Amino acid sequence: MARVFALTVSLMVSACAAIPPTPASAPQNGSLISIRNESLPFCGRCESATITVTSDGRVWVDQGHYQSLYEDWKVRRYLINISPSTHAEFVAALSSIRPVGNFRRDESRACGTDQGGLLLSWDDKKGKDSYYFDFGCDDPQNASTIRSIRSAVAVLGIQKSRLSWGLTGA
């Protein structure tokens, strides 16, 4: 019985170790794009999700949630691989919303700041750029921004039901 338990624990640990850490910056001569959500301040069931895509075709998906207690945070993390053509489609889907430098969609009077949002970031030969999209903004551009983000995530083959993002509308 002890051997079975030790083997089970060993297999669980090795499975976790098989996923390399998510990179903090782009690989040399490559690119990194990250989409990370920000939970609502009073969310009840708070959820987080981050997708990190590198130009070598690796995609890290980190999802977490807790139900009313900060102590019971659950995390699911996995790595998928995509083809160069899928990576190109992903980059193209987000190209229309990539700013030069840093841009925040929550800096207008039409934004309610308690709705959570998404932080998109790019790191490549063009530079380091970021776009903060607030779900509480009532702006005519929101529909096209949401379509771009949804399209990019769909290209990766990640099911909408697995993500907690409030990409409603449009």
Side-chain angles (χ1 to χ4, degrees):
M1 182 67 163
R3 281 187 178 171
V4 171
F5 178 74
L7 179 60
T8 303
V9 170
S10 175
L11 288 173
M12 289 171 56
V13 169
S14 65
C16 292
I19 299 175
T22 306
S25 60
Q28 187 172 6
N29 300 317
S31 68
L32 180 142
I33 299 175
S34 176
I35 305 173
R36 179 176 52 92
N37 85 309
E38 174 188 88
S39 295
L40 304 170
F42 305 104
C43 50
R45 177 185 162 96
C46 295
E47 300 186 36
S48 68
T50 303
I51 297 174
T52 305
V53 180
T54 55
S55 53
D56 61 5
R58 294 180 296 165
V59 179
W60 287 262
V61 180
D62 294 282
Q63 296 171 270
H65 73 273
Y66 66 86
Q67 183 70 38
S68 74
L69 298 173
Y70 291 106
E71 300 88 38
D72 62 353
W73 191 261
K74 308 286 187 228
V75 177
R76 178 173 183 244
R77 184 167 190 258
Y78 58 98
L79 177 68
I80 60 176
N81 292 296
I82 57 173
S83 68
S85 62
T86 300
H87 180 267
E89 283 182 68
F90 174 76
V91 171
L94 294 175
S95 66
S96 66
I97 61 172
R98 182 178 181 168
V100 174
N102 301 314
F103 179 77
R104 293 188 65 93
R105 174 63 63 201
D106 64 345
E107 294 179 342
S108 77
R109 289 177 286 167
C111 292
T113 59
D114 62 349
Q115 298 298 309
L118 291 175
L119 176 64
L120 292 90
S121 59
W122 292 261
D123 181 2
D124 59 20
K125 64 183 177 190
K126 293 180 184 177
K128 292 186 179 193
D129 303 313
S130 68
Y131 181 104
Y132 181 77
F133 177 79
D134 191 314
F135 295 135
C137 292
D138 184 19
D139 186 298
Q141 284 188 301
N142 283 3
S144 64
T145 300
I146 290 169
R147 277 193 299 273
S148 295
I149 296 167
R150 280 183 177 163
S151 175
V153 172
V155 162
L156 298 175
I158 299 170
Q159 295 175 358
K160 184 176 146 185
S161 62
R162 288 184 177 165
L163 299 175
S164 58
W165 302 333
L167 295 178
T168 58

